Amino acid sequence: RPDPPSLAESGAIVRLRLFAVPDHETKAVIEALVRQTHHFYASQYALPPGWSLLDLKASWPVHPELLSRLMENWSSLAGFEGLRGTLHFVATVVHHLREVQDGDPLVQPGSVVLTASPTRTLLDQYLPQEWQVVINSEIEGPRSTAGDLDGGASANPQDGLTQRIARTIFLASAPNPHDHPRSVDRAHLLAGSVPPDGSIDVFDVSLEAFESNARYLRHGGPWYWFETHPADSTGHRKRDRNRHGT
């Protein structure tokens, strides 16, 4: 059985299958954006280990953090089928972003609108139904914890940083075979949710506020993850802080 493709190889395949081949002028613009984005995360000491300029360039405009979560975490789910499932998932997300005329140059985990109809249908194929409760009450929409912190009904769900943070944690931790929590550390969380022109200070404030108000969120050391049952007490949260996800 052949080895699975590397992150850079997967990114190149996704890019070639889903996006038009850029002309010379567009390639120069992309090259500049890639270097600017890589410098932004590196300068903030938020560059995840193993996350290279080559990976970013190969997968652009899809974020390496999104690809790695799909290829490594989601591929563990029955029926997802590795690269094929990744292509289908990314194509669904990109189609929705084009429909709503999203202007961000980079498709991050935080860009994935979980309540969009095609994406919700896709999630239902792979995840237990309890995750929809977590999405609706905690992660996305004006009545969710994250949506309320982003400004409620008056906020644009595509732009709200708290919702972007929550989506990034969800995509890292939802594929949870054998009930063993998966998690995301701060560096990967920042890289997956903060746009290249974003603010690290606002990220820290948003993450702290979400952690203080979220019921399904767990936090242990630098690690964050969701579970499908709410924390039932302060003691429960304290115990979570002593755990480290994988």
Side-chain angles (χ1 to χ4, degrees):
R1 186 176 180 178
D3 292 332
S6 68
L7 182 59
E9 290 169 339
S10 300
I13 293 169
V14 169
R15 189 188 72 242
L16 290 171
R17 295 279 185 89
L18 301 182
F19 301 95
V21 177
D23 58 25
H24 181 73
E25 183 177 346
T26 305
K27 280 184 179 179
V29 173
I30 291 173
E31 181 76 27
L33 284 169
V34 167
R35 294 189 176 278
Q36 180 183 358
T37 301
H38 188 268
H39 175 73
F40 169 76
Y41 292 120
S43 67
Q44 299 296 333
Y45 304 101
L47 199 63
W51 199 76
S52 70
L53 182 64
L54 175 63
D55 294 330
L56 183 59
K57 184 175 181 179
S59 66
W60 192 275
V62 181
H63 199 294
E65 178 66 13
L66 178 57
L67 285 180
S68 65
R69 292 299 175 180
L70 294 174
M71 289 293 297
E72 295 169 15
N73 293 24
W74 286 75
S75 291
S76 67
L77 299 175
F80 193 83
E81 299 185 29
L83 183 58
R84 180 178 296 183
T86 298
L87 278 165
H88 186 198
F89 194 103
V90 174
T92 301
V93 170
V94 169
H95 178 73
H96 172 74
L97 294 177
R98 286 171 174 165
E99 279 193 328
V100 299
Q101 299 182 330
D102 177 72
D104 287 345
L106 190 59
V107 182
Q108 298 174 268
S111 310
V112 179
V113 181
L114 304 174
T115 53
S117 180
T119 309
R120 178 187 288 270
T121 300
L122 199 57
L123 295 175
D124 284 342
Q125 293 180 30
Y126 301 115
L127 299 176
Q129 192 62 35
E130 313 79 278
W131 280 109
Q132 289 297 342
V133 176
V134 180
I135 291 169
N136 293 328
S137 65
E138 192 93 304
I139 298 173
E140 191 172 288
R143 297 184 179 181
S144 68
T145 303
D148 182 61
L149 291 169
D150 280 337
S154 63
N156 183 343
Q158 196 64 37
D159 298 332
L161 181 55
T162 314
Q163 290 172 95
R164 293 177 67 93
I165 290 169
R167 292 176 187 133
T168 304
I169 299 171
F170 169 83
L171 288 170
S173 58
N176 187 15
H178 313 302
D179 295 324
H180 183 64
R182 296 181 185 273
S183 58
V184 58
D185 66 19
R186 183 186 180 279
H188 287 84
L189 178 53
L190 190 156
S193 58
V194 179
D197 60 350
S199 166
I200 307 301
D201 290 339
V202 174
F203 167 81
D204 287 331
V205 171
S206 297
L207 178 58
E208 182 177 356
F210 186 53
E211 184 188 349
S212 298
N213 289 276
R215 298 171 62 230
Y216 295 88
L217 181 67
R218 307 292 191 267
H219 175 207
W223 303 96
Y224 296 86
W225 69 97
F226 283 118
E227 294 185 1
T228 55
H229 56 278
D232 55 8
S233 68
T234 303
H236 190 160
R237 284 186 176 273
K238 287 181 178 177
R239 288 194 299 275
D240 286 333
R241 290 176 182 274
N242 294 323
R243 295 172 55 189
H244 285 243
T246 56

